[in-house]
Amino acid sequence: MTVEAMECVEIFNSAGKGRGLKATKEFWAGDVIFAETAYAAVVFDNLTHSVCHTCFKRQEKLQRCGQCKFAHYCDRTCQKDAWVNHKTECSAIKKLGKAPNENVRLAARITWRIEREGSGLTEGCLVSIDDLENHIDNFQEEEKNGLMDDVQSFLDYWPSQSQHYSMNYISHIFGVISCNGFTLSDQRGLQAVGVGIFPNLCLVNHDCWPNCTVIFNNGNHEAVKSMYHTQMRIELRSLGKINKGDELSVSYIDFLNLTEDRQKQLKKQYYFDCTCEHCTKKIKDDLLLAVTEGDQKPADSLVKEVVQFSKDTMEKIDKARSEGLYHEVVKYCRECLKRQEPVLAETNIYKLRILSISSEVLSYLQMFEEAADNAKKMVDGYLKVYHPHNAQLGMAVMRAGVTHWHAGLIEVGHGMICKAYAILLITHGPSHPITKDLEAMRAQSEMELRMFQQNEFVYYKMREAALSNKPIQIMQEPNTEAQGTIFNKKH
């Protein structure tokens, strides 16, 4: 990436927010405003043996660094690309006898790069690491204790022959990671696998209804000629028309929360009070709290009772999921949806949460018809609540489409896959691995739909034969991690 890549944006003072970025030209939906490679990035502690330390792709067979036995890579290309960052790290891990935690590893990688290149502006960066916010003054007691533990681990790990930095400076680096560490996902966007620092992205302010989205792209070096290789990077993409001079914004958290809860989360994790239009006017709160409409509106006491029951059920579900008791989760969801049905509307947040968990777990258990029914209700609600070009909406519609496809409901399934493809073309772009997967699904489901329309009986007979000859693919185990925050803030 070069400085020219940042010519479409400029830093300015955003009223009440401090620094921000604004557009210096017009953009349309799906445009890449800028791409940025990581200043430094590391794989999460629990995935160091199953994710490549260069491109962050999940692979079954990885090559291990012969020196430290810690770093793992897809192949020689990834290992070679990593050496400039891994060289000093490699000897430090060998000397310590083990690798420290991800926070310490990331802080060390940042500091080694500063040692190599200086602490000023590096090529393509509008802001230096020194000038990023650290918010240490806002840390609670527990966070301060965690910071001091990390600083001590850093000092144990840091080689004696490397340049020495003050405790304040090391603390600043950890503060920057705490506030600005961006979550990296695997090549299918299904699992958070690491954390990185992208200085230019740190300048983009939050809005609950943003005009941009940020997508992680693992890059590609599979082409024979290296001139066609692409680097691991984040892309800031426009969600709609942006005029010259408009401030650029992304959402730091998932929109699917009540205004009050979003504001609490932003204050706790990012230390600011959100004053965006959706928070100020509490836009969409009426939908997220909606009750059934009809001849007789449910009594307030009944609504309160069902909401409390839903909250209590969510706690039981979380416990059962953490223990892998998925049939218990299904039982709790069915019971809760039965209580919710006559009282809460399809856009009610408590209903949407149960529908989401239920459809995901039922799909995993291969109970596809019931999963599809719940997924359809969830998507109908999401489409009324989310921004039409929201990446999480696109992913949810994609999963719902696949669930319908598995259930043999090809017409609805194909329609959802097409809808998801249209969203992801804007949020992820046509060359992203997820979009390419979806394009293949769209072509396959379209072919099956034509077959279905020509002769339903033959379609179902062929489908039955195909499924009996080939074991159905097990869907990914339900993810218990919270989704929706773009920054890797530790709770």
Side-chain angles (χ1 to χ4, degrees), residues 182 201 212-216 234-237 250-251 391 427 486:
F182 179 81
L201 177 63
C212 298
T213 189
V214 56
I215 296 298
F216 180 61
I234 57 97
E235 293 172 352
L236 187 74
R237 305 181 71 95
V250 294
S251 182
T427 60
I486 69 167

Side-chain angles (χ1 to χ4, degrees), residues 16 36 57 78 144 187 219 245 282 299 325 375 407 469:
E36 182 180 12
K57 290 179 182 176
C78 276
K144 284 179 180 170
Q187 65 271 38
K282 298 193 173 184
L325 303 172
N469 290 330

Side-chain angles (χ1 to χ4, degrees), residues 375 378-379 382 386 391-401 416 420:
M378 175 192 76
V379 165
Y382 278 5
Y386 273 119
Q392 283 166 275
L393 170 66
M395 295 292 282
V397 177
M398 177 177 78
R399 285 192 294 270
M416 284 185 173

Side-chain angles (χ1 to χ4, degrees), residues 33 98 108 157 162 179 381-382 412 414 431 451 461-462:
I33 297 168
K98 62 176 183 178
Y157 177 56
S162 289
C179 303
Y382 278 5
V412 179
H414 177 68
S431 64
M451 195 187 296
K461 278 291 174 193
M462 286 182 71

Side-chain angles (χ1 to χ4, degrees), residues 248-316:
L248 304 172
S249 59
V250 294
S251 182
Y252 293 177
I253 59 171
D254 186 7
F255 178 74
L256 199 69
N257 275 299
L258 296 169
T259 297
E260 186 183 351
D261 294 334
R262 284 199 314 272
Q263 287 184 318
K264 278 180 188 171
Q265 189 180 353
L266 288 164
K267 185 72 172 175
K268 184 183 176 186
Q269 288 182 230
Y270 305 106
Y271 312 106
F272 70 86
D273 297 304
C274 186
T275 56
C276 76
E277 185 183 15
H278 272 65
C279 281
T280 308
K281 297 179 180 177
K282 298 193 173 184
I283 298 170
K284 304 278 186 179
D285 275 17
D286 56 336
L287 287 174
L288 293 169
L289 291 172
V291 296
T292 51
E293 291 178 358
D295 299 334
Q296 202 169 0
K297 190 181 171 185
D300 288 347
S301 57
L302 178 60
V303 173
K304 198 172 179 182
E305 184 186 313
V306 170
V307 165
Q308 189 56 52
F309 182 79
S310 303
K311 288 178 179 177
D312 294 343
T313 301
M314 284 293 293
E315 285 184 20
K316 290 180 189 173

Side-chain angles (χ1 to χ4, degrees), residues 388-389 416-427 438 442:
H389 296 154
M416 284 185 173
I417 286 168
C418 289
K419 174 78 179 168
Y421 184 66
I423 297 170
L424 264 62
L425 272 178
I426 289 169
T427 60
L438 202 45
R442 191 177 61 133

Side-chain angles (χ1 to χ4, degrees), residues 407-471:
L409 303 167
I410 191 66
E411 286 179 295
V412 179
H414 177 68
M416 284 185 173
I417 286 168
C418 289
K419 174 78 179 168
Y421 184 66
I423 297 170
L424 264 62
L425 272 178
I426 289 169
T427 60
H428 290 64
S431 64
H432 197 284
I434 300 172
T435 319
K436 284 184 172 178
D437 279 355
L438 202 45
E439 190 176 17
M441 284 184 223
R442 191 177 61 133
Q444 176 68 23
S445 61
E446 189 175 338
M447 185 181 73
E448 289 187 25
L449 178 60
R450 279 203 298 270
M451 195 187 296
F452 172 81
Q453 288 167 339
Q454 284 164 8
N455 192 321
E456 283 185 44
F457 178 75
V458 171
Y459 168 75
Y460 282 118
K461 278 291 174 193
M462 286 182 71
R463 186 175 183 277
E464 201 176 303
L467 290 178
S468 62
N469 290 330
K470 186 172 128 188

